Amino acid sequence: MPTRREPEDDVDAVFWNRTARAYSRHAIKDLAGYERTLSATRDLVGATDRVLELGCGTGQTALRLAPSIGHITGTDISSGMIAIANERKAAAACPNARFVVTDGRSPLWPDPPFDAVLAFNLLHLIKDRPRFFQSVGRALKPGGLFITKTPCLSEMNAVIRLAIPLMRLIGKAPSLSFFTADELASELTAGGFSIIDQARHGSGRTDFRVFLAARKADP
């Protein structure tokens, strides 16, 4: 019987482990836009809700949201990212946050399921989004919310789009997927979700990161 592949065997997990410390030191480029995303998420998630954040990275967003919700579990394929998240949790003395390494092939199916699933700056890193949305649906209660803000790489400057494959080739970028906001919204709808909010929170003239909130259909 084949052995279970560990997260560290994943080439993208290796990439994020290598860059975790440097990533954690990066300042948020559009702080006002980030704060708008946090505010919109707080408006949608209840004070007693149990929340799952997929691709939580170093835990910054989870820890910002934790005081407003019942409990948040953050997961990431990178043990380096999760180590930093746990350091930040200890420094913040945040008892209602938990951080776990997962490779996505062994997702957490709690009983009862989560009230909301979050995925920020993640969907452009997912190779099989229809399968990913199925997993999200299984982790959610009927009527639960999926909330995401992610770069739509097909909407970026053409020069940047052309540079991405080269960066990937030399190990300076992880695996990436290209789509527009409308394409992503259509995929979510096809996956059994009803979109209740679609917005751009960026402060600049253009913003290729779309915010989407979608409700899981009742059975």
Side-chain angles (χ1 to χ4, degrees):
M1 186 170 69
T3 58
R4 179 180 174 275
R5 199 168 112 190
E6 293 300 322
E8 309 298 5
D9 296 328
D10 188 296
V11 64
D12 288 325
V14 172
F15 171 85
W16 291 112
N17 282 340
R18 187 174 68 245
T19 60
R21 290 291 167 182
Y23 179 90
S24 70
R25 293 190 292 268
H26 287 174
I28 296 172
K29 292 183 178 179
D30 182 2
L31 186 58
Y34 176 68
E35 294 293 345
R36 278 190 283 273
T37 298
L38 290 177
S39 178
T41 303
R42 292 189 189 101
D43 288 343
L44 291 165
V45 180
T48 61
D49 283 355
R50 296 173 63 254
V51 177
L52 171 66
E53 184 184 4
L54 302 170
C56 69
T58 60
Q60 181 175 21
T61 296
L63 293 172
R64 288 288 307 276
L65 293 172
S68 304
I69 56 182
H71 187 275
I72 188 162
T73 298
T75 71
D76 202 280
I77 63 170
S78 166
S79 60
M81 293 284 191
I82 292 298
I84 296 170
N86 279 314
E87 291 168 7
R88 289 179 165 176
K89 173 189 170 181
C94 185
N96 66 327
R98 172 177 175 244
F99 296 105
V100 183
V101 179
T102 180
D103 62 0
R105 288 176 284 273
S106 55
L108 305 172
W109 304 134
D111 186 16
F114 291 101
D115 298 287
V117 173
L118 315 178
F120 296 122
N121 295 312
L122 178 66
L123 297 185
H124 64 302
L125 305 174
I126 301 298
K127 299 172 185 176
D128 188 346
R129 286 185 303 284
R131 181 180 177 185
F132 176 84
F133 294 144
Q134 289 176 359
S135 295
V136 169
R138 288 195 295 271
L140 279 171
K141 293 179 180 179
L145 287 176
F146 176 56
I147 303 171
T148 182
K149 187 172 85 169
T150 201
C152 300
L153 300 185
S154 291
E155 299 179 3
M156 294 179 68
N157 180 283
V159 174
I160 297 176
R161 294 202 309 268
L162 290 172
I164 287 175
L166 176 60
M167 294 173 64
R168 172 66 178 159
L169 185 65
I170 62 176
K172 298 296 184 181
S175 301
L176 296 169
S177 297
F178 290 76
F179 49 79
T180 66
D182 288 342
E183 289 168 346
L184 185 60
S186 295
E187 289 177 0
L188 261 177
T189 301
F193 291 87
S194 298
I195 295 173
I196 62 172
D197 190 13
Q198 180 169 343
R200 309 273 181 157
H201 294 158
S203 301
R205 288 171 31 179
T206 60
D207 182 10
F208 58 87
R209 292 178 176 84
V210 64
F211 176 89
L212 289 166
R215 192 175 299 281
K216 176 184 175 181
D218 291 329

